[in-house]
Each structure stands twice: as structure tokens, then as C-alpha cells.
Amino acid sequence: MVLVDPSDRAEKPAAVEPRERILSAAGREFAERGYESTTVRDICLAAGVNVAAVNYYFGDKQRLYIESVKHAHEQRAGQVPLPEWAAGTPPARKLQDFIANFLERMLGFGQPPWQVRLMMREVLHPTDACRELVEDYVRPRFELLVSILDELVDGQLSQTELRRVALSIIGQCFLYRAAGAVVGMLVPREELKSHHSLAPLADHVTSYALAALGKARPLVDTRQQTLHVREEASS
Amino acid sequence: MVLVDPSDRAEKPAAVEPRERILSAAGREFAERGYESTTVRDICLAAGVNVAAVNYYFGDKQRLYIESVKHAHEQRAGQVPLPEWAAGTPPARKLQDFIANFLERMLGFGQPPWQVRLMMREVLHPTDACRELVEDYVRPRFELLVSILDELVDGQLSQTELRRVALSIIGQCFLYRAAGAVVGMLVPREELKSHHSLAPLADHVTSYALAALGKARPLVDTRQQTLHVREEASS
DNA sequence: CGGGGAATCAAACACACGTTTGAATCAAGT
DNA sequence: ACTTGATTCAAACGTGTGTTTGATTCCCCG
């Protein structure tokens, strides 16, 4: 006979609703191992509840998964809100801020956020929870980026071109989150920190974009290069 | 248990060897559904062999998975080989070719090849088969790209900066393959073709990179801000 | 107190999975 | 024709899974 004293039941923060504990534990497990590989027994063990609790509170595993994706999404949305700027902020500055914010959100410096990893899974292998996630979470950011770019180039690019540039920027940030392990294998060990730190990355992506759009000097200063070009021309 | 060399057995003209059929079917199934969600029964059904065949030829499911990843890799490697250039080819042209080739390989226009999807899974959620894949398949391409960029900027960027630029280019291509479904939700229906066609994409990524590096005119022609002294009249 | 609905629990269920088995089939060698 | 060993097959095994069950405990209101 096991009598559970309410005071020693609290491995987690005390007095949190079981439903919440399950959602949180499920999010972590799903983010780590994926849907198929995580068992409801693992989730319940991590949450400190009986196996039957999942079905009691959520009906079945699938509905728990969808709920945990939404839960992660909501938590994360409040955690790193969209940046806001005073009127008259130069668009180049907005772009810089946006990229830093986006990277912050994706890579979650400081604490590795399982919420992002869970949503990333949803983006990479869409299930039913995906469309809703895109509309609520991805599209607003995407269109904010497009509008910043539009302002930056002063309406000189078509919407199609703007979206292409936006996707270029997102792709650069995306790679580090989605394929971080492979990136880690490609760059030398001692260089890894500089590839996974916020500031250098954000600077690179920003100046790369600004240079491509003609709003900053190219990464290579072409004026100092004339001599080399001449040498090369002989081959 | 000793296996007989297939070559000295009487050949069946119509059907391929069972081992090959299993590898092919397994690759397709794994690429589509992932490791956990794919059952050996499904694979054997698709391959037209008995369930026991997997264990007979490969030992267990895990080894079949690793073999099928290698198999896909080898097939794909021969299918879209690394481009080669005559000495003296301008690096900008090499970059263009590389990007087109890389996109061709990633997106596989025509029919989406399950081999790439399988390898993509390995990149996104690395297993034991990953490291080998990176060394044989990813790294050579990556270092080729870095060397092209190095030639392009004529040694004016550090290796770290070169790798950053290379990862920027790869990230842009990568996004369309890894998150194609989400990209499809973000751009208008009628624009989708232009975002998933080889030529426009390759042009965009290439000119984006060339402009950022100061080797081509920016995407936006800014009359007031930047004096554009460089005109790419060389050739 | 004590009755009753909500919550929790240990145990079991039903099923699908990877894997094994042992007999049947086949192809070649002698 | 018989032997031999590789291959194929239907059937079963053991295990881990999501889910259900029925009893038990908790908590609150009368």
C-alpha cells in the first residue's frame, strides 16, 4: 500500500496541475525522441503520474501530442515576443534586430528550449498540428520580415523577390537549428563557438543581406582588389 | 550460415536479386515514414519477399537501415556527380554551377528521389549512419564550395568567413528541401512554381552571394547611396 | 461523520512489432 | 537419383506498446 503524502509528491514545483506536468514532460520527450519513439510510460514517469493519466486527461497519445505542440507554441510565443520599434527606426536596424531575435528564438542561447525543437520537428515532418502552427507562429514573422525588406529597398523589389530574399535569410538561420549536428562536423572544433554564438551569426547574416541588397559595403572590399585581378588575368 | 555468391547462381532475368529489392524498398519506406514508423513487414511486402528475409540477409532492422542509407548514398552519388571545370574557368561561373548542381541534387527536379529524402532524414536526426555520410558525401562538396569562394574573393577572407558564407549558401538551398512544406504554405499558390524551379532559385542564390561579396551588382540598384564603380565586363 | 464524484493506482488486456524456428523448396554437384 | 547447402516460407514467439479496467484513495460538501 502506497500512501502518497502531498508534500513528498513534489519532485517538480509543488502544486502544479497534473495536466500541466504531463504536457510539459510530453513536450520534452517528443522534442527529444520524436512521436513514435517516445512512450506514454516514459512521459508519465517523467511527469510523476500513473500511466492511465494520459488517457484520463487527453484521451489518447495522439491528442496529447497535438496539445503539447500547441502548449509549447504558446509558451514560446510569450517568451520571445516580436520586436517593436519606434517610428522612424531605420530599416537596416530593424533587419538587424529581427535577425538577432529570430536566431535567439531558434537557437535559444542560454537555455536550450525544447519548445523550439518540438516545433522544428513539426516543420520538418508536418503532421496535423503543422498548418495551425504556421499560421499562428511562422507567417506573422515571415511577413514582418518581408515588410522590413520592402521598407529597406524602398519598394524597388517585387513581392516575389522580397519573399526570395526573406527565405534566404530564414534559410541561413534555419540551417544551424535543423542541421546543427552536421554543421558541427564540418567546421573545426575550435571554430564551433563562433558558429553557434548569437552575435557573430546575426552580424554575418545581416551584413550578408545588406551587402547583397546594396545597403552596405560588400564583405570583400573590391577597390583593394584590382591588382590581384590583374595578376589572375594572365592564366 | 554461409551465403552463396550470387554471380555463380543461375540468373533470374525478370527479377532483381532479393537483397537489392529489399534495400530499395527499405530505402523508400524509411525515407517516407522514418525508421520507427516503418515496419519490416511493410518493407518485405513492398519488396515481395518473406518477412524472414530481412533477418536472413541483414541480421536485423537496424543493420538494414544503415545499409539502405549507404545504398541510397552510392546510387545518388553516381547519379549527380560533382561538376568539373576546365582550368581558367572564372570562379563566379563555378559558383553558379555548384549552386545549380547542389540544388539539382537536393530537390531532384523531375521526380523527387527518395534517396535524398532518406539522407536528409539522416542529417536532420543523426543516427550511426550519419558521420560516415558526412565524411563521404557532405564534406567534399562543402570544401569544394569553400575553395570556390576562396578563389572568388582571391584570398581576402579568412577560412572562418569563407565557411560562414558557404553555410549561408547551403542554408538557402537546404530550406527548400527540409522545410519545403512550410515554404509552400508561406508563398502564394501561383508563385510556388517559381520557388521550386531550379533556374530561378539557382540564379537568386548565386546573385545574392555574388552581390554580397561585391562580385556583382546588388539586387537593388541604389542610385543615391552607393556609387557603383565595378562593372563585371570581364570575359 | 459519511456519502459521492473526481482522481489515482496496480494490474491486465489486446495487439503489433522485430525476430526466430523448423520444415519445405530449390539448384547444383556427383 | 541422391545429397548438400542455400534460400524461402508459414507460423509462432517474446516483448513492448497504447489503452482499459475496476478497485482504491482523495477531497469536499451536506
Side-chain angles (χ1 to χ4, degrees):
Chain A
M1 178 71 68
V2 180
L3 282 184
V4 182
D5 182 1
S7 62
D8 77 359
R9 189 208 304 240
E11 294 182 358
K12 302 264 175 180
V16 184
E17 291 297 317
R19 205 189 131 92
E20 283 291 316
R21 290 210 311 272
I22 296 174
L23 274 178
S24 177
R28 268 179 260 266
E29 297 287 325
F30 284 139
E32 193 68 28
R33 288 185 257 288
Y35 181 79
E36 307 289 342
S37 299
T38 77
T39 73
V40 312
R41 281 177 172 82
D42 287 343
I43 293 172
C44 292
L45 184 68
V49 300
N50 188 270
V51 274
V54 157
N55 302 77
Y56 181 76
Y57 283 103
F58 298 94
D60 59 17
K61 183 187 179 185
Q62 179 136 280
R63 257 165 310 186
L64 168 60
Y65 175 75
I66 293 179
E67 287 301 314
S68 73
V69 171
K70 286 188 190 173
H71 186 69
H73 163 201
E74 285 160 12
Q75 275 192 230
R76 194 70 190 153
Q79 211 164 319
V80 184
L82 284 169
E84 289 179 12
W85 300 277
T89 307
R93 174 55 184 275
K94 290 188 186 177
L95 183 64
Q96 167 95 36
D97 290 348
F98 178 93
I99 290 172
N101 179 277
F102 190 67
L103 277 169
E104 168 86 42
R105 212 181 167 97
M106 294 274 273
L107 300 181
F109 297 97
Q111 291 190 355
W114 55 266
Q115 293 102 331
V116 180
R117 270 197 282 176
L118 182 58
M119 288 186 284
M120 199 58 59
R121 263 185 202 275
E122 205 43 43
V123 167
L124 296 175
H125 310 294
T127 70
D128 296 338
C130 182
R131 180 151 240 121
E132 195 171 341
L133 195 71
V134 168
E135 294 305 324
D136 294 355
Y137 179 81
V138 180
R139 188 186 294 285
R141 289 192 119 71
F142 180 70
E143 293 186 340
L144 172 61
L145 175 56
V146 169
S147 76
I148 291 175
L149 292 172
D150 195 19
E151 188 185 351
L152 185 73
V153 303
D154 205 22
Q156 293 192 349
L157 290 182
S158 70
Q159 286 296 307
T160 300
E161 291 169 304
L162 288 175
R163 275 191 277 267
R164 256 200 252 277
V165 175
L167 288 172
S168 288
I169 291 171
I170 289 171
Q172 293 173 62
C173 303
F174 183 75
L175 181 72
Y176 289 89
R177 162 52 70 186
V182 172
V183 171
M185 295 181 190
L186 286 178
V187 306
R189 183 74 43 94
E190 64 273 15
E191 202 175 296
L192 258 183
K193 270 184 286 296
S194 101
H195 274 95
H196 282 101
S197 304
L198 176 59
L201 254 183
D203 282 350
H204 166 72
V205 175
T206 305
S207 52
Y208 194 80
L210 288 177
L213 293 173
K215 298 298 174 182
R217 292 172 53 198
L219 273 60
V220 176
D221 196 340
T222 58
R223 281 168 303 193
Q224 301 169 350
Q225 189 183 327
T226 320
L227 293 178
H228 296 276
V229 169
R230 267 189 208 293
E231 284 177 13
E232 183 184 329
S234 62
S235 59
Chain B
M1 206 173 289
V2 181
L3 298 185
V4 132
D5 180 9
S7 58
D8 66 0
R9 291 181 54 234
E11 66 274 30
K12 298 178 184 176
V16 199
E17 290 300 314
R19 204 188 134 91
E20 284 290 316
R21 291 209 310 274
I22 296 173
L23 274 178
S24 178
R28 266 178 259 266
E29 297 286 326
F30 284 138
E32 193 68 27
R33 285 185 260 288
Y35 181 79
E36 306 290 343
S37 301
T38 301
T39 73
V40 313
R41 283 177 170 84
D42 286 343
I43 293 171
C44 292
L45 184 69
V49 300
N50 188 270
V51 274
V54 158
N55 302 79
Y56 181 75
Y57 283 104
F58 298 94
D60 57 17
K61 184 187 179 184
Q62 180 137 280
R63 255 164 313 183
L64 167 60
Y65 175 76
I66 293 179
E67 288 301 313
S68 72
V69 170
K70 286 188 192 172
H71 186 69
H73 163 201
E74 284 159 12
Q75 275 192 228
R76 195 69 192 155
Q79 211 162 318
V80 183
L82 283 168
E84 289 179 13
W85 299 278
T89 306
R93 174 54 183 276
K94 290 187 187 176
L95 182 64
Q96 166 95 37
D97 289 348
F98 179 93
I99 290 172
N101 178 278
F102 190 66
L103 277 169
E104 168 87 42
R105 212 180 167 100
M106 294 274 274
L107 299 181
F109 296 97
Q111 286 200 351
W114 56 267
Q115 293 102 331
V116 180
R117 270 197 282 176
L118 182 57
M119 288 186 285
M120 199 57 60
R121 262 185 202 277
E122 203 44 43
V123 167
L124 296 175
H125 310 293
T127 70
D128 296 339
C130 181
R131 179 149 242 121
E132 194 171 341
L133 195 71
V134 168
E135 294 305 324
D136 293 356
Y137 179 80
V138 180
R139 187 187 295 285
R141 288 192 120 73
F142 179 71
E143 292 186 340
L144 173 61
L145 175 57
V146 169
S147 77
I148 291 174
L149 292 171
D150 195 20
E151 186 184 352
L152 186 72
V153 303
D154 205 23
Q156 293 194 344
L157 291 181
S158 69
Q159 286 296 307
T160 299
E161 290 169 306
L162 288 175
R163 274 191 278 266
R164 256 200 251 277
V165 175
L167 288 173
S168 288
I169 291 171
I170 289 172
Q172 292 174 62
C173 304
F174 183 74
L175 182 72
Y176 288 90
R177 162 51 72 185
V182 173
V183 171
M185 294 180 190
L186 286 178
V187 307
R189 184 72 43 93
E190 65 273 16
E191 203 175 297
L192 259 184
K193 270 184 288 296
S194 100
H195 274 96
H196 282 99
S197 303
L198 176 60
L201 254 184
D203 281 351
H204 166 72
V205 175
T206 305
S207 51
Y208 194 80
L210 288 178
L213 293 173
K215 298 298 172 181
R217 296 169 51 196
L219 272 62
V220 176
D221 205 350
T222 51
R223 292 161 293 240
Q224 69 272 24
Q225 183 168 335
T226 309
L227 291 182
H228 231 306
V229 287
R230 281 187 44 79
E231 197 68 28
E232 196 78 17
S234 61
S235 69

